[in-house]
Amino acid sequence: MKTFQTVEEVNEYFEKALADLDKEYEQKLLTIEKNEQQVTITLQKQYEQQKAAIAHQHEHEENKLNQNCVQAIEKIEMLFANKRKVILENYKITYEEERKNYHVNKIELLEQKQAEERRKFQFYNNQQQAILSQFEQASDLTDAIEQAMDSLYQELTDVLIKYKQQFDEAEQLFEESCHGLVQQRDEAIENLMNNEAASQSQLDDQLFEALQDLSEKTEKHYAQIEQSFMEKEQSLQEMVFAQQEKINDDYDEQREKLFELQEQALAQFY
């Protein structure tokens, strides 16, 4: 132990020792505080970087989901557009076939009508020749010719009525067939539109669910890094508190020791 000559020298020495101890104590606390601030800043920076990375990943996956949905809808629209085109082409082909058959049927009926009318005229001409050779008196001849003409007129009228009815029936069948084709086409297109809308609605539902799952996953990641950040902060605070406790204990112990040494040094003067 240092040798002292006076009480003043003792007090002066230990006052300086206590001042140095206080300075060292404050320096240690300040160092711990600075270290804590630096580590806290580092932790906060890491936490913000992790949040930014999660947000970026969320945006990337969200854009990808939306893009995939748009591409799927475009494919659906193209697919159903092709199906609609096939329906319209089949309708045109079938309509042309029906129209052609109707036209051919009309020509056949017209030819049959003309052939039957020719037969009637031929029969009338033959009948005229026979009448001219059978009757000598003019009055009898006139009556026979008028009767033959009336018969021809009636037969031609019957032929006209007969074939008009067949023409009307053929036209009605054609119109009914065309109406059925139009109705079948419209129903097919309507079903196609309903199926397209249902497919797009299903895609929208799938996108909504996928975006919900993505949001839940992102929120879970946010919660995980926040929990990790809070645990690291708590661990840091506990470590700082332990260091401060140790410094305080060491400081109190050294102060107590200095006071004891001071008392011992002063004891030699009394």
Side-chain angles (χ1 to χ4, degrees), residues 138-189:
S139 60
D140 295 336
L141 179 61
T142 301
D143 292 340
I145 290 175
E146 288 180 354
Q147 185 177 1
M149 288 185 65
D150 291 341
S151 178
L152 175 63
Y153 176 77
Q154 184 61 47
E155 290 180 359
L156 289 176
T157 301
D158 292 341
V159 170
L160 179 63
I161 293 173
K162 170 187 172 182
Y163 280 96
K164 183 178 184 306
Q165 182 179 0
Q166 293 186 15
F167 279 127
D168 290 343
E169 290 176 354
E171 184 176 4
Q172 183 178 357
L173 289 174
F174 174 66
E175 290 178 353
E176 290 177 353
S177 178
C178 289
H179 178 72
L181 286 175
V182 170
Q183 187 175 6
Q184 183 180 3
R185 178 203 64 190
D186 292 344
E187 288 177 355
I189 290 177

Side-chain angles (χ1 to χ4, degrees), residues 119-229:
R119 286 196 299 271
K120 299 294 182 183
F121 277 112
Q122 185 62 42
F123 178 78
Y124 171 75
N125 289 332
N126 294 337
Q127 192 179 39
Q128 289 282 69
Q129 296 298 327
I131 290 173
L132 290 174
S133 63
Q134 289 177 3
F135 296 96
E136 296 179 355
Q137 295 183 3
S139 60
D140 295 336
L141 179 61
T142 301
D143 292 340
I145 290 175
E146 288 180 354
Q147 185 177 1
M149 288 185 65
D150 291 341
S151 178
L152 175 63
Y153 176 77
Q154 184 61 47
E155 290 180 359
L156 289 176
T157 301
D158 292 341
V159 170
L160 179 63
I161 293 173
K162 170 187 172 182
Y163 280 96
K164 183 178 184 306
Q165 182 179 0
Q166 293 186 15
F167 279 127
D168 290 343
E169 290 176 354
E171 184 176 4
Q172 183 178 357
L173 289 174
F174 174 66
E175 290 178 353
E176 290 177 353
S177 178
C178 289
H179 178 72
L181 286 175
V182 170
Q183 187 175 6
Q184 183 180 3
R185 178 203 64 190
D186 292 344
E187 288 177 355
I189 290 177
E190 184 178 359
N191 290 334
L192 195 66
M193 292 174 65
N194 291 336
N195 291 336
E196 181 179 2
S199 298
Q200 292 190 3
S201 177
Q202 184 178 6
L203 279 176
D204 290 338
D205 292 341
Q206 291 175 352
L207 174 62
F208 179 76
E209 291 178 1
L211 290 175
Q212 271 194 328
D213 292 341
L214 177 61
S215 295
E216 291 176 1
K217 184 178 74 173
T218 300
E219 290 300 323
K220 186 177 180 180
H221 286 170
Y222 278 136
Q224 288 174 345
I225 65 168
E226 184 176 5
Q227 180 66 27
S228 176
F229 173 70

